[in-house]
Amino acid sequence: MRVQFYISALYELEHYLGLAELLDANRFHISFAADERILGARGSSQFDLKKINKILNSFGYELFNVDESSDIAITTRPTMALYRYDNIKLLLKYGVGLVKDIPIKRMISNKLFDGYLVHGNYEKNIFKEIGIEESCIYTVGLPKLIIEKKLESYFKKRHNDTINLLYMSTWLGLGGFETIVQNLAKFNSHISVVIKTHHHQEERMESLFNTRIITGGPLFQNYTLFQNANIVVVDARSGVAPESLHYKNKKIIYFIPGIENKVFFQNFIFSIAKVCYSFEEIQDEILNYNPSDYIDKPYSPWLNFFYSDNYLAY
């Protein structure tokens, strides 16, 4: 059976390649396609045709034109290109999200897609609530972990006596997190900070005290970044927030900007991780961190709520 992944942006490869490897192992014939005229005209690093080809080639794939006769076409968004495919069309939904108003209705069309690939039961239930038949929803876990684990050795690891703090931002920006970094420097020189920006953030920021900033362009680094961190602060508006549950022995902090915004988030968020509403609260949590409290901390019981049960196979 022939499966073609349609590429609209560079960052989609992070979500496609793990799934492609799973399908490849089950004897599906995998290919990737893009409309080069569209990618070449957008003028952004997210639509960098040269980078897309380079990454695909490194995994043994090439970029082809749309193959209308593919048995299955997979994309992450509604796109006019799907009308060129004659057979099954699937939407790969990535990024679970913790807000109540998950905009799935605005991104799907029952007439356009024949099925939906989701992380796990949490998203599956959301799709069912808006009228999608359960037989059209397939749980795939978090297959991008397959690729991220393989590439872990390629990225710089930190082996030192510092406390490594990772901050994962959203597409909305850093939200003033640099203020926390500057304040931490006054209290504890043994805290090393890594800021990973969202893939839509392409701006270059000045280095902060004892801080490494990874802008949104690099792919496949989340696993290594999470593994190296002692403390993970995630903007709760980010789809990457539940991903933090895949990692043991970490202090996880979800940041909701202002207590007045609490109403926009699912109630169960407060059972998953420490929730902070201000930079001052985050700063206190970081400064009060005790590594011994997190030794042999097991996987969160919430993991199977968000992802399919076979996540550990990755």
Side-chain angles (χ1 to χ4, degrees):
M1 184 170 287
R2 291 173 299 126
V3 177
Q4 187 161 78
F5 292 86
Y6 184 81
I7 302 171
S8 300
L10 173 66
Y11 63 83
E12 290 175 327
L13 294 179
E14 192 165 34
H15 306 282
Y16 284 159
L17 284 166
L19 182 58
E21 185 156 320
L22 284 175
L23 294 173
D24 206 354
N26 286 278
R27 299 185 179 181
F28 287 81
H29 178 73
I30 306 300
S31 65
F32 292 82
D35 189 325
E36 296 188 10
R37 295 168 300 174
I38 295 175
L39 287 176
R42 287 180 171 174
S44 162
S45 65
Q46 287 303 325
F47 307 97
D48 189 323
L49 191 58
K50 188 175 180 179
K51 277 187 178 179
I52 290 172
N53 271 307
K54 184 177 180 180
I55 292 174
L56 286 177
N57 293 163
S58 71
F59 284 93
Y61 296 109
E62 296 181 42
L63 190 63
F64 294 96
N65 294 322
V66 168
D67 179 2
E68 293 88 349
S69 63
S70 295
D71 298 296
I72 299 174
I74 299 176
T75 182
T76 67
R77 66 185 77 186
T79 171
M80 293 299 292
L82 285 178
Y83 288 104
R84 296 165 61 184
Y85 289 97
D86 298 328
N87 298 308
I88 297 173
K89 306 173 186 68
L90 300 179
L91 173 74
L92 174 61
K93 174 69 174 67
Y94 64 88
V96 175
L98 297 169
V99 294
K100 290 180 179 177
D101 180 27
I102 299 176
I104 291 178
K105 280 187 179 179
R106 298 196 293 272
M107 70 177 294
I108 68 172
S109 166
N110 286 322
K111 295 180 180 179
L112 186 56
F113 294 105
D114 302 295
Y116 306 88
L117 306 174
V118 301
H119 290 304
N121 290 330
Y122 172 56
E123 281 183 317
K124 185 176 184 178
N125 290 336
I126 293 172
F127 273 78
K128 287 165 61 178
E129 286 173 6
I130 61 173
I132 303 298
E133 294 287 337
E134 185 169 1
S135 60
C136 298
I137 310 169
Y138 309 92
T139 57
V140 296
L142 192 63
K144 73 172 188 170
L145 278 183
I146 297 171
I147 303 300
E148 290 182 355
K149 284 184 177 181
K150 280 188 173 183
L151 295 178
E152 181 185 14
S153 61
Y154 287 88
F155 300 119
K156 181 180 178 182
K157 297 183 180 181
R158 295 191 165 200
H159 298 290
N160 50 38
D161 296 326
T162 62
I163 295 173
N164 294 322
L165 168 67
L166 171 65
Y167 177 64
M168 307 286 280
S169 66
T170 73
W171 61 274
L172 295 168
L174 290 178
F177 190 77
E178 58 268 33
T179 303
I180 296 179
V181 176
Q182 291 166 341
N183 287 337
L184 287 174
K186 301 174 185 176
F187 295 101
N188 194 335
S189 60
H190 296 293
I191 295 179
S192 178
V193 181
V194 175
I195 296 176
K196 172 67 165 65
T197 67
H198 190 272
H199 53 246
H200 283 162
Q201 297 168 16
E202 299 174 7
E203 71 274 15
R204 293 294 180 265
M205 295 162 285
E206 292 183 5
S207 294
L208 303 170
F209 178 89
N210 200 21
T211 302
R212 186 161 60 110
I213 298 176
I214 300 176
T215 52
L219 304 179
F220 314 116
Q221 292 196 27
N222 283 6
Y223 181 81
T224 305
L225 293 174
F226 274 121
Q227 287 286 68
N228 293 344
N230 305 102
I231 305 171
V232 179
V233 181
V234 188
D235 193 312
R237 296 168 293 183
S238 172
V240 80
E243 272 188 45
S244 62
L245 301 177
H246 283 87
Y247 305 89
K248 300 186 289 185
N249 309 324
K250 316 292 180 189
K251 180 170 186 174
I252 308 297
I253 300 171
Y254 288 162
F255 173 47
I256 296 177
I259 195 167
E260 69 276 6
N261 293 314
K262 176 180 178 180
V263 296
F264 297 113
F265 290 86
Q266 304 281 10
N267 289 331
F268 55 71
I269 185 177
F270 307 100
S271 301
I272 300 175
K274 177 66 181 179
V275 177
C276 293
Y277 301 100
S278 68
F279 299 129
E280 292 76 16
E281 288 181 7
I282 296 176
Q283 184 173 289
D284 289 343
E285 288 294 326
I286 294 169
L287 293 174
N288 292 327
Y289 168 74
N290 183 355
S292 63
D293 293 339
Y294 296 89
I295 294 176
D296 297 325
K297 183 183 176 184
Y299 286 110
S300 169
W302 286 92
L303 193 50
N304 284 341
F305 178 64
F306 290 105
Y307 300 94
S308 60
D309 294 344
N310 64 343
Y311 70 93
L312 284 178
Y314 303 151

